Amino acid sequence: MAVSCCSSTIDFDSIPLTALNFTVRKKLALYLNPKHVSAADWTALAEAMGFEYLEIKNYEQYQNPTKMILENWQGTSTQATVGKLLEMLTAVERVDVISDLQGLIEEDCRKYLKKKQLQEQPVQVPEVDSCVPKTLEMNGITIDDDPSGHMPELFDAFICYCHRDIDFVHEMIRQLEQTECKLKLCVFDRDVLPGTCVWSITSELIEKRCKRMVVIISDDYLDSDACDFQTKFALSLCPGARSKRLIPVKYKPMKKKFPSILRFLTLCDYTNPCTTSWFWGRLAKALSLP
């Protein structure tokens, strides 16, 4: 499937599904996750992709089944291209989705083709182009990242924590990643590859790779320069908390004064016995918002 775009034609059949970024996938989920009486939803798309009945039933347990079928399809099928996806959406009579997302899809495909073209160009010798770095610092920075940068690894939340609070981070992983919540957390010591500039990579992850940031507040947090930088950087991206980007979490009693820069944000308090039973559900819901 090809369409005319500006002065060129995009051959969608030759572009892998990995070219579609987080924004397009999120909008696809908004269209296809809800059950419709008059329009096909994600289950019809899953059938078109070749998933069996039991597999589709299993996907129903996920909060975002559209995201899951897209990821599994692109990981198991050689036919997982943008063109094939558009063909299947047409077959299940969801042309409305294609019409609304066409501009975003074309933009992602143009970016993919541009990066591919740059990679295929011969590398200039240092004497000719010594001022240009030979590797892109922001590509391949996490465990499951795409080294070429075509599909950077994305997360629901960056976890800002002091190393002495690592036990609570492990509990957070169990409650939010390994349950039906199925959230994806960015835990620096687990997910970031060694050998990169800490401050540059941290800024990249908070600003571009993570929808939100969870700040684990403790007495030790207040003494951490890294936590201080991460918190202030995240606050600079969302003045006035307009995007609900920053979520402070208090998980144990503190002797020191609560940080004043976070006082205006709604606290998720694990130390309050009256609300402990609701803690993980509230936090998961906050991290699941668009």
Side-chain angles (χ1 to χ4, degrees):
M1 177 179 289
V3 299
S4 177
C5 182
C6 298
S7 58
S8 62
T9 298
I10 298 178
D11 180 12
F12 290 117
D13 289 324
S14 66
I15 300 177
L17 195 67
T18 53
L20 298 184
N21 68 14
F22 174 78
T23 300
V24 171
R25 291 166 185 257
K26 183 174 74 173
K27 289 184 178 294
L28 279 170
L30 290 175
Y31 277 107
L32 300 175
N33 280 346
K35 289 288 185 180
H36 290 286
V37 176
S38 59
D41 56 24
W42 68 271
T43 57
L45 185 61
E47 289 180 3
M49 290 176 176
F51 290 106
E52 298 179 354
Y53 173 78
L54 290 179
E55 292 177 304
I56 295 173
K57 292 296 291 183
N58 183 59
Y59 285 127
E60 290 179 352
Q61 68 178 304
Y62 293 103
Q63 187 175 20
N64 190 343
T66 301
K67 173 187 175 184
M68 297 304 300
I69 64 170
L70 288 174
E71 291 181 351
N72 289 344
W73 184 53
Q74 75 183 26
T76 58
S77 175
T78 57
Q79 294 184 329
T81 65
V82 175
K84 189 64 177 178
L85 175 64
L86 297 177
E87 179 183 318
M88 290 188 294
L89 286 171
T90 302
V92 299
E93 299 182 348
R94 291 308 303 266
V95 181
D96 60 312
V97 178
I98 299 175
S99 299
D100 287 349
L101 301 185
Q102 182 175 348
L104 292 173
I105 292 173
E106 290 179 0
E107 181 181 357
D108 282 355
C109 291
R110 284 196 297 270
K111 289 180 180 178
Y112 169 82
L113 292 173
K114 184 176 180 179
K115 288 181 180 179
K116 183 179 179 182
Q117 184 180 16
L118 290 174
Q119 288 178 340
E120 291 175 350
Q121 291 178 351
V123 179
Q124 294 180 329
V125 296
E127 291 76 14
V128 177
D129 191 19
S130 59
C131 63
V132 179
K134 299 301 174 287
T135 59
L136 298 177
E137 185 183 5
M138 298 307 165
N139 291 347
I141 62 176
T142 60
I143 292 291
D144 294 327
D145 210 353
D146 179 2
S148 66
H150 292 157
M151 192 65 185
E153 188 176 12
L154 302 174
F155 302 86
D156 291 300
F158 182 92
I159 308 301
C160 173
Y161 65 97
C162 172
H163 287 144
R164 291 187 179 180
D165 298 322
I166 191 65
D167 288 341
F168 186 71
V169 174
H170 283 292
E171 179 64 16
M172 185 172 288
I173 290 172
R174 285 191 292 270
Q175 295 288 344
L176 299 178
E177 285 191 341
Q178 299 172 4
T179 62
E180 66 275 3
C181 297
K182 298 297 181 182
L183 292 169
K184 189 172 183 180
L185 308 179
C186 181
V187 179
F188 199 93
D189 294 292
R190 179 192 67 173
D191 298 314
V192 177
L193 296 174
T196 53
C197 175
V198 172
W199 307 116
S200 299
I201 298 307
T202 300
S203 302
E204 165 81 6
L205 289 168
I206 294 174
E207 181 177 9
K208 300 179 181 178
R209 305 287 194 90
C210 301
K211 290 192 297 181
R212 287 178 174 77
M213 186 167 92
V214 174
V215 185
I216 300 178
I217 309 296
S218 67
D219 289 334
D220 295 311
Y221 159 88
L222 296 173
D223 296 327
S224 170
D225 291 336
C227 290
D228 182 64
F229 166 79
Q230 293 167 10
T231 303
K232 290 178 178 177
F233 179 77
L235 281 172
S236 71
L237 300 175
C238 58
R242 288 191 297 270
S243 63
K244 302 178 184 176
R245 191 183 188 108
L246 211 65
I247 301 174
V249 168
K250 179 181 176 184
Y251 83 98
K252 63 182 180 180
M254 296 176 60
K255 296 180 181 179
K256 298 179 181 178
K257 193 175 181 180
F258 192 85
S260 57
I261 60 173
L262 297 177
R263 283 183 179 176
F264 67 94
L265 295 174
T266 304
L267 177 68
C268 211
D269 192 353
Y270 193 67
T271 66
N272 187 345
C274 298
T275 60
T276 301
S277 60
W278 305 325
F279 176 86
W280 293 113
R282 292 177 65 225
L283 182 57
K285 182 65 176 179
L287 298 180
S288 300
L289 293 174

